[in-house]
Amino acid sequence: MLKQFLKPLLLFLLLAAAELGYAAAPARIVSLSGTISEIVCDLGQQANLVGVDVTSTYPTALAKLPKVGHTRSISAEGVLALRPTLVLGTTESIKPEVAAQLRSAGVTVHLFKQDYSVAGTKKLMQEVAAVLGATAQVPALTKKLDADLTKVQRPAKAPKVLFVYARGTGTMMVAGQGTSVEKVIQLAGGQNAAVGFSDFKPLTAEALVAANPDYLLLFDSGLESLGGKAGLLQVPGVAQTTAGRTGRVIEMDGQLLTGFGPRLGQATAELARLMK
């Protein structure tokens, strides 16, 4: 008898609580990846972001949020100061010991493994949406990505493209095989001029001349650090390459070019257009 009375009473109280707004508080999210930040925003949860890493430059409104640093410089203390309930990033975003510190402090941490491909990008969007309880929005994101990819007009013959990561003439690296920038070059219809090594390695004049790229590709911030196109052409070896002789230098926003997030199709189409 008592159970029969309590059951409807409990249901009534739960409905009343929901009506009065006593639902669970929204997550306070700190994103440690520019790509994850873009996905969170596209899933309609930008308002829940309370902090981001320095690669989170899009959408531009994220510039107003507190910054927690970038990969190896991110500390648990800096993240915890923002009182997050949820931290999102990739497996490369933070050191394992920092992730452990965050979890020990009671914060839920999700680090996603990123695969630099179209299928990998769709999988990442699905996984982030699942964590946020926003999977209903994924089909729209996927549809837009596919539509953007149909706009890619690849060159008839794959040009050789050399990506140079620069932070002034004292720090210049080239991207090898397996890197995200090589993957986006290939998607756009080009080929990586740097072969025979993985990851990044320092740029040398000899290697530059041997690679002999048709195009030099840089982040816009990297080209600026060299003094623009004129400064790049003064780097030893550049003038002896096809790219140097023809002045074929491409600059793109770094997060757009290598993010492999919702704007992958846009980035690929833009790079393909600039290679013609």
Side-chain angles (χ1 to χ4, degrees), residues 106-125:
V107 178
T108 300
V109 179
H110 285 282
L111 301 177
F112 305 91
K113 183 171 177 54
Q114 195 170 9
D115 175 46
Y116 300 115
S117 66
V118 174
T121 298
K122 292 178 179 177
K123 181 171 180 282
L124 180 63
M125 293 193 296

PDB file of all heavy atoms in Angstrom, residues 106-125:
ATOM      1  N   GLY A 106      39.025  14.421  -9.814  1.00  0.00           N
ATOM      2  CA  GLY A 106      37.593  14.217 -10.000  1.00  0.00           C
ATOM      3  C   GLY A 106      37.044  14.727 -11.315  1.00  0.00           C
ATOM      4  O   GLY A 106      35.822  14.753 -11.502  1.00  0.00           O
ATOM      5  N   VAL A 107      37.937  15.118 -12.219  1.00  0.00           N
ATOM      6  CA  VAL A 107      37.489  15.641 -13.520  1.00  0.00           C
ATOM      7  C   VAL A 107      37.401  14.487 -14.523  1.00  0.00           C
ATOM      8  O   VAL A 107      38.294  13.638 -14.583  1.00  0.00           O
ATOM      9  CB  VAL A 107      38.473  16.706 -14.047  1.00  0.00           C
ATOM     10  CG1 VAL A 107      38.025  17.217 -15.417  1.00  0.00           C
ATOM     11  CG2 VAL A 107      38.587  17.855 -13.060  1.00  0.00           C
ATOM     12  N   THR A 108      36.338  14.474 -15.291  1.00  0.00           N
ATOM     13  CA  THR A 108      36.213  13.478 -16.359  1.00  0.00           C
ATOM     14  C   THR A 108      37.072  13.918 -17.547  1.00  0.00           C
ATOM     15  O   THR A 108      36.952  15.054 -18.005  1.00  0.00           O
ATOM     16  CB  THR A 108      34.750  13.350 -16.811  1.00  0.00           C
ATOM     17  OG1 THR A 108      33.953  12.951 -15.691  1.00  0.00           O
ATOM     18  CG2 THR A 108      34.610  12.314 -17.922  1.00  0.00           C
ATOM     19  N   VAL A 109      37.944  13.028 -17.990  1.00  0.00           N
ATOM     20  CA  VAL A 109      38.862  13.353 -19.088  1.00  0.00           C
ATOM     21  C   VAL A 109      38.642  12.377 -20.242  1.00  0.00           C
ATOM     22  O   VAL A 109      38.673  11.161 -20.045  1.00  0.00           O
ATOM     23  CB  VAL A 109      40.334  13.274 -18.626  1.00  0.00           C
ATOM     24  CG1 VAL A 109      41.281  13.589 -19.788  1.00  0.00           C
ATOM     25  CG2 VAL A 109      40.581  14.217 -17.455  1.00  0.00           C
ATOM     26  N   HIS A 110      38.413  12.912 -21.429  1.00  0.00           N
ATOM     27  CA  HIS A 110      38.296  12.083 -22.628  1.00  0.00           C
ATOM     28  C   HIS A 110      39.355  12.533 -23.631  1.00  0.00           C
ATOM     29  O   HIS A 110      39.340  13.679 -24.084  1.00  0.00           O
ATOM     30  CB  HIS A 110      36.915  12.219 -23.264  1.00  0.00           C
ATOM     31  CG  HIS A 110      35.829  11.503 -22.526  1.00  0.00           C
ATOM     32  ND1 HIS A 110      35.628  10.142 -22.604  1.00  0.00           N
ATOM     33  CD2 HIS A 110      34.897  11.965 -21.655  1.00  0.00           C
ATOM     34  CE1 HIS A 110      34.621   9.790 -21.834  1.00  0.00           C
ATOM     35  NE2 HIS A 110      34.149  10.880 -21.251  1.00  0.00           N
ATOM     36  N   LEU A 111      40.275  11.641 -23.965  1.00  0.00           N
ATOM     37  CA  LEU A 111      41.314  11.929 -24.960  1.00  0.00           C
ATOM     38  C   LEU A 111      41.091  11.016 -26.159  1.00  0.00           C
ATOM     39  O   LEU A 111      41.105   9.791 -26.031  1.00  0.00           O
ATOM     40  CB  LEU A 111      42.704  11.704 -24.363  1.00  0.00           C
ATOM     41  CG  LEU A 111      43.030  12.562 -23.122  1.00  0.00           C
ATOM     42  CD1 LEU A 111      44.399  12.190 -22.574  1.00  0.00           C
ATOM     43  CD2 LEU A 111      42.956  14.042 -23.444  1.00  0.00           C
ATOM     44  N   PHE A 112      40.870  11.606 -27.313  1.00  0.00           N
ATOM     45  CA  PHE A 112      40.520  10.857 -28.511  1.00  0.00           C
ATOM     46  C   PHE A 112      41.753  10.649 -29.385  1.00  0.00           C
ATOM     47  O   PHE A 112      42.572  11.552 -29.542  1.00  0.00           O
ATOM     48  CB  PHE A 112      39.457  11.612 -29.311  1.00  0.00           C
ATOM     49  CG  PHE A 112      38.223  11.949 -28.509  1.00  0.00           C
ATOM     50  CD1 PHE A 112      38.134  13.164 -27.837  1.00  0.00           C
ATOM     51  CD2 PHE A 112      37.176  11.048 -28.420  1.00  0.00           C
ATOM     52  CE1 PHE A 112      37.015  13.479 -27.092  1.00  0.00           C
ATOM     53  CE2 PHE A 112      36.050  11.359 -27.670  1.00  0.00           C
ATOM     54  CZ  PHE A 112      35.969  12.568 -27.004  1.00  0.00           C
ATOM     55  N   LYS A 113      41.851   9.460 -29.977  1.00  0.00           N
ATOM     56  CA  LYS A 113      42.938   9.188 -30.926  1.00  0.00           C
ATOM     57  C   LYS A 113      42.519   9.732 -32.277  1.00  0.00           C
ATOM     58  O   LYS A 113      41.475   9.359 -32.817  1.00  0.00           O
ATOM     59  CB  LYS A 113      43.234   7.688 -31.010  1.00  0.00           C
ATOM     60  CG  LYS A 113      44.405   7.359 -31.914  1.00  0.00           C
ATOM     61  CD  LYS A 113      44.805   5.913 -31.802  1.00  0.00           C
ATOM     62  CE  LYS A 113      45.940   5.577 -32.770  1.00  0.00           C
ATOM     63  NZ  LYS A 113      47.100   6.471 -32.608  1.00  0.00           N
ATOM     64  N   GLN A 114      43.337  10.602 -32.852  1.00  0.00           N
ATOM     65  CA  GLN A 114      42.978  11.257 -34.103  1.00  0.00           C
ATOM     66  C   GLN A 114      43.619  10.546 -35.284  1.00  0.00           C
ATOM     67  O   GLN A 114      44.831  10.298 -35.304  1.00  0.00           O
ATOM     68  CB  GLN A 114      43.406  12.727 -34.073  1.00  0.00           C
ATOM     69  CG  GLN A 114      42.760  13.560 -35.160  1.00  0.00           C
ATOM     70  CD  GLN A 114      42.990  15.043 -34.978  1.00  0.00           C
ATOM     71  OE1 GLN A 114      43.765  15.479 -34.127  1.00  0.00           O
ATOM     72  NE2 GLN A 114      42.322  15.837 -35.789  1.00  0.00           N
ATOM     73  N   ASP A 115      42.807  10.213 -36.277  1.00  0.00           N
ATOM     74  CA  ASP A 115      43.282   9.607 -37.514  1.00  0.00           C
ATOM     75  C   ASP A 115      43.121  10.635 -38.629  1.00  0.00           C
ATOM     76  O   ASP A 115      42.024  11.158 -38.840  1.00  0.00           O
ATOM     77  CB  ASP A 115      42.465   8.349 -37.834  1.00  0.00           C
ATOM     78  CG  ASP A 115      42.844   7.754 -39.174  1.00  0.00           C
ATOM     79  OD1 ASP A 115      44.047   7.631 -39.448  1.00  0.00           O
ATOM     80  OD2 ASP A 115      41.943   7.437 -39.965  1.00  0.00           O
ATOM     81  N   TYR A 116      44.205  10.934 -39.319  1.00  0.00           N
ATOM     82  CA  TYR A 116      44.181  12.017 -40.311  1.00  0.00           C
ATOM     83  C   TYR A 116      43.673  11.516 -41.662  1.00  0.00           C
ATOM     84  O   TYR A 116      44.445  11.282 -42.597  1.00  0.00           O
ATOM     85  CB  TYR A 116      45.576  12.640 -40.432  1.00  0.00           C
ATOM     86  CG  TYR A 116      46.070  13.219 -39.133  1.00  0.00           C
ATOM     87  CD1 TYR A 116      47.186  12.681 -38.484  1.00  0.00           C
ATOM     88  CD2 TYR A 116      45.402  14.278 -38.530  1.00  0.00           C
ATOM     89  CE1 TYR A 116      47.617  13.206 -37.276  1.00  0.00           C
ATOM     90  CE2 TYR A 116      45.831  14.804 -37.324  1.00  0.00           C
ATOM     91  CZ  TYR A 116      46.933  14.255 -36.701  1.00  0.00           C
ATOM     92  OH  TYR A 116      47.362  14.768 -35.498  1.00  0.00           O
ATOM     93  N   SER A 117      42.361  11.351 -41.719  1.00  0.00           N
ATOM     94  CA  SER A 117      41.685  10.905 -42.937  1.00  0.00           C
ATOM     95  C   SER A 117      40.248  11.406 -42.875  1.00  0.00           C
ATOM     96  O   SER A 117      39.788  11.883 -41.821  1.00  0.00           O
ATOM     97  CB  SER A 117      41.706   9.375 -43.038  1.00  0.00           C
ATOM     98  OG  SER A 117      40.927   8.818 -41.995  1.00  0.00           O
ATOM     99  N   VAL A 118      39.544  11.261 -43.989  1.00  0.00           N
ATOM    100  CA  VAL A 118      38.133  11.664 -43.997  1.00  0.00           C
ATOM    101  C   VAL A 118      37.337  10.767 -43.046  1.00  0.00           C
ATOM    102  O   VAL A 118      36.546  11.258 -42.226  1.00  0.00           O
ATOM    103  CB  VAL A 118      37.558  11.581 -45.427  1.00  0.00           C
ATOM    104  CG1 VAL A 118      36.059  11.860 -45.413  1.00  0.00           C
ATOM    105  CG2 VAL A 118      38.272  12.571 -46.347  1.00  0.00           C
ATOM    106  N   ALA A 119      37.570   9.464 -43.147  1.00  0.00           N
ATOM    107  CA  ALA A 119      36.855   8.538 -42.260  1.00  0.00           C
ATOM    108  C   ALA A 119      37.204   8.804 -40.792  1.00  0.00           C
ATOM    109  O   ALA A 119      36.333   8.749 -39.919  1.00  0.00           O
ATOM    110  CB  ALA A 119      37.200   7.098 -42.638  1.00  0.00           C
ATOM    111  N   GLY A 120      38.470   9.095 -40.539  1.00  0.00           N
ATOM    112  CA  GLY A 120      38.889   9.376 -39.170  1.00  0.00           C
ATOM    113  C   GLY A 120      38.245  10.638 -38.620  1.00  0.00           C
ATOM    114  O   GLY A 120      37.900  10.716 -37.443  1.00  0.00           O
ATOM    115  N   THR A 121      38.087  11.627 -39.485  1.00  0.00           N
ATOM    116  CA  THR A 121      37.449  12.878 -39.059  1.00  0.00           C
ATOM    117  C   THR A 121      35.984  12.641 -38.692  1.00  0.00           C
ATOM    118  O   THR A 121      35.493  13.140 -37.679  1.00  0.00           O
ATOM    119  CB  THR A 121      37.551  13.929 -40.182  1.00  0.00           C
ATOM    120  OG1 THR A 121      38.931  14.182 -40.429  1.00  0.00           O
ATOM    121  CG2 THR A 121      36.853  15.217 -39.801  1.00  0.00           C
ATOM    122  N   LYS A 122      35.301  11.870 -39.519  1.00  0.00           N
ATOM    123  CA  LYS A 122      33.894  11.559 -39.216  1.00  0.00           C
ATOM    124  C   LYS A 122      33.781  10.756 -37.918  1.00  0.00           C
ATOM    125  O   LYS A 122      32.878  10.991 -37.112  1.00  0.00           O
ATOM    126  CB  LYS A 122      33.286  10.771 -40.383  1.00  0.00           C
ATOM    127  CG  LYS A 122      33.138  11.584 -41.657  1.00  0.00           C
ATOM    128  CD  LYS A 122      32.569  10.739 -42.785  1.00  0.00           C
ATOM    129  CE  LYS A 122      32.401  11.560 -44.057  1.00  0.00           C
ATOM    130  NZ  LYS A 122      31.912  10.750 -45.192  1.00  0.00           N
ATOM    131  N   LYS A 123      34.707   9.837 -37.712  1.00  0.00           N
ATOM    132  CA  LYS A 123      34.700   9.028 -36.480  1.00  0.00           C
ATOM    133  C   LYS A 123      34.931   9.914 -35.269  1.00  0.00           C
ATOM    134  O   LYS A 123      34.281   9.756 -34.235  1.00  0.00           O
ATOM    135  CB  LYS A 123      35.785   7.950 -36.589  1.00  0.00           C
ATOM    136  CG  LYS A 123      35.891   7.021 -35.392  1.00  0.00           C
ATOM    137  CD  LYS A 123      36.855   5.875 -35.719  1.00  0.00           C
ATOM    138  CE  LYS A 123      37.009   4.910 -34.538  1.00  0.00           C
ATOM    139  NZ  LYS A 123      37.907   5.457 -33.511  1.00  0.00           N
ATOM    140  N   LEU A 124      35.853  10.859 -35.400  1.00  0.00           N
ATOM    141  CA  LEU A 124      36.141  11.754 -34.276  1.00  0.00           C
ATOM    142  C   LEU A 124      34.908  12.599 -33.923  1.00  0.00           C
ATOM    143  O   LEU A 124      34.593  12.775 -32.741  1.00  0.00           O
ATOM    144  CB  LEU A 124      37.318  12.665 -34.635  1.00  0.00           C
ATOM    145  CG  LEU A 124      37.755  13.665 -33.562  1.00  0.00           C
ATOM    146  CD1 LEU A 124      38.252  12.941 -32.312  1.00  0.00           C
ATOM    147  CD2 LEU A 124      38.849  14.599 -34.101  1.00  0.00           C
ATOM    148  N   MET A 125      34.224  13.107 -34.941  1.00  0.00           N
ATOM    149  CA  MET A 125      33.028  13.916 -34.669  1.00  0.00           C
ATOM    150  C   MET A 125      31.972  13.072 -33.960  1.00  0.00           C
ATOM    151  O   MET A 125      31.306  13.539 -33.035  1.00  0.00           O
ATOM    152  CB  MET A 125      32.481  14.493 -35.979  1.00  0.00           C
ATOM    153  CG  MET A 125      33.410  15.515 -36.626  1.00  0.00           C
ATOM    154  SD  MET A 125      32.680  16.505 -37.970  1.00  0.00           S
ATOM    155  CE  MET A 125      32.323  15.238 -39.182  1.00  0.00           C
TER     156      MET A 125
END
